[in-house]
Amino acid sequence: MRKAIILAYIAQPLNNSRLKKFTQEAVAAGALLICADSAGEAALAWDLLPHWLVGDMDSIAPAVLRELTARPSVKVDSHPAEKDETDLELAIERALSEGATEITIVGGVGGRLDHTLGNLYLLAMPSLARSKARVRILSENEEVFLLSPDDSPLLLEGKKGELVSLFPFNGDATGVYTENLYYPLRHETLYFGPSRGISNVMLAESAEISLEEGRLLIIHTFAQS
């Protein structure tokens, strides 16, 4: 299994953050590090060098871009500003072309709502489905998964009392089954539109979710430390 970390937009790359700790530990363990455009700034702030810098380079600070492109170990995948894909989408495609089978997108939520929604929808990219790569979005306060029947069951690890929300994605989700959540679902349907699946609660340090048809967008909110 080859792991890839994709740094997306991070508003404030804090030194004491969950994201910094996770990224540094993953890269030290051998994960591929890909930065989407201005996320190269977060990498440098965390004393990391990406293996790939991907995007149109329209938002990264010029000084950071010069520093990264001057490093022989950093490969640059540059694209024109007028393109059909976002920088994050291009970074995901780069991770897949490098053989990644487990991808964590670090950041990419918060800030502009259109970018946040667009990044969530990238979890449904056809190339990700074809590759069968495991993928999640990790922010400072939550992690996000898109679960399909082929991926079931999903094991969430966390703390008792943490929130888990289930959103049917682009249609009804049927045969939804959960373990160790306060409001249990036993092969039930979550309908596209109503908010029944929001704010469930973990009863233990792990919870399990599966479904038979459709897809679920799952948001696991971490306890504030």
Side-chain angles (χ1 to χ4, degrees):
M1 177 179 293
R2 187 173 196 192
K3 297 183 179 181
I5 309 300
I6 298 176
L7 289 190
Y9 171 75
I10 300 171
Q12 293 180 305
L14 303 177
N15 286 329
N16 61 346
S17 71
R18 177 195 308 271
L19 299 185
K20 176 184 177 180
K21 183 175 185 292
F22 169 81
T23 303
Q24 288 183 329
E25 290 180 351
V27 173
L32 179 72
L33 180 61
I34 300 172
C35 290
D37 204 327
S38 63
E41 298 173 21
L44 284 187
W46 293 341
D47 298 318
L48 295 168
L49 285 177
H51 299 99
W52 282 95
L53 179 64
V54 179
D56 55 24
M57 314 306 165
D58 67 341
S59 55
I60 189 170
V64 174
L65 180 59
R66 287 193 297 271
E67 181 171 353
L68 290 177
T69 55
R71 302 293 187 107
S73 62
V74 179
K75 299 177 182 177
V76 179
D77 184 6
S78 183
H79 295 260
E82 295 185 359
K83 58 188 187 308
D84 293 333
E85 306 86 1
T86 62
D87 293 331
L88 180 54
E89 182 175 349
L90 293 170
I92 293 171
E93 295 290 3
R94 171 54 59 185
L96 293 177
S97 70
E98 294 291 314
T101 54
E102 182 176 317
I103 300 171
T104 298
I105 299 166
V106 173
V109 296
R112 282 177 51 178
L113 180 58
D114 57 345
H115 282 181
T116 296
L117 287 174
N119 292 342
L120 293 176
Y121 271 80
L122 287 178
L123 297 177
M125 287 172 56
S127 55
L128 281 173
R130 288 193 299 269
S131 72
K132 300 190 182 300
R134 296 170 54 193
V135 61
R136 66 169 175 160
I137 295 176
L138 177 66
S139 76
E140 194 63 32
N141 299 314
E142 61 263 322
E143 59 181 349
V144 185
F145 302 85
L146 184 62
L147 183 66
S148 68
D150 291 341
D151 305 321
S152 295
L154 174 67
L155 180 66
L156 290 178
E157 296 182 351
K159 297 178 181 178
K160 183 178 179 180
E162 290 182 337
L163 299 179
V164 177
S165 294
L166 311 178
F167 298 94
F169 189 87
N170 198 34
D172 299 340
T174 62
V176 180
Y177 186 90
T178 65
E179 287 286 352
N180 289 336
L181 292 181
Y182 183 82
Y183 303 101
L185 293 169
R186 295 292 183 260
H187 303 291
E188 297 178 51
T189 298
L190 291 179
Y191 294 98
F192 185 65
S195 57
R196 181 187 177 191
I198 200 167
S199 296
N200 216 323
V201 182
M202 292 182 67
L203 296 177
E205 292 183 349
S206 65
E208 190 172 290
I209 303 162
S210 62
L211 77 163
E212 295 171 2
E213 293 184 18
R215 286 185 287 187
L216 281 174
L217 190 71
I218 299 170
I219 302 178
H220 170 209
T221 302
F222 305 126
Q224 300 301 305
S225 56

